Amino acid sequence: MSSTNPQSQTIDPKSASDIDQLARKLDATHEQVEEAIRAVGTNASDIELHLKGSRSTTNAERTDEAGKG
């Protein structure tokens, strides 16, 4: 990830490590981050906002709920 300015970090969409790093930071899957990049581009802040708007629970909560059903 480019880290010249934390407010405007960009993700290299071809870099699995960039995507995985952001996925861990945002508690998202690699696939969710890739989808967000396709939807909003490579700006990390935009990706974060997109993911937060597209899910109301964390993946951990979703996994816990799936195990109860």
Side-chain angles (χ1 to χ4, degrees):
M1 264 187 299
S2 171
S3 60
T4 53
N5 180 354
Q7 296 297 337
S8 63
Q9 286 185 333
T10 57
I11 303 302
D12 179 354
K14 296 178 183 176
S15 170
S17 66
D18 272 12
I19 293 171
D20 288 338
Q21 181 181 357
L22 187 60
R24 282 190 302 278
K25 177 183 174 191
L26 300 177
D27 188 29
T29 66
H30 186 100
E31 291 76 19
Q32 287 171 321
V33 174
E34 286 179 325
E35 184 279 326
I37 290 170
R38 287 190 296 274
V40 300
T42 59
N43 181 286
S45 296
D46 292 344
I47 293 167
E48 180 177 9
L49 289 173
H50 177 80
L51 290 172
K52 285 182 176 180
S54 68
R55 56 192 171 121
S56 58
T57 60
T58 65
N59 285 340
E61 290 168 335
R62 220 180 285 158
T63 302
D64 288 344
E65 290 173 8
K68 294 176 185 174

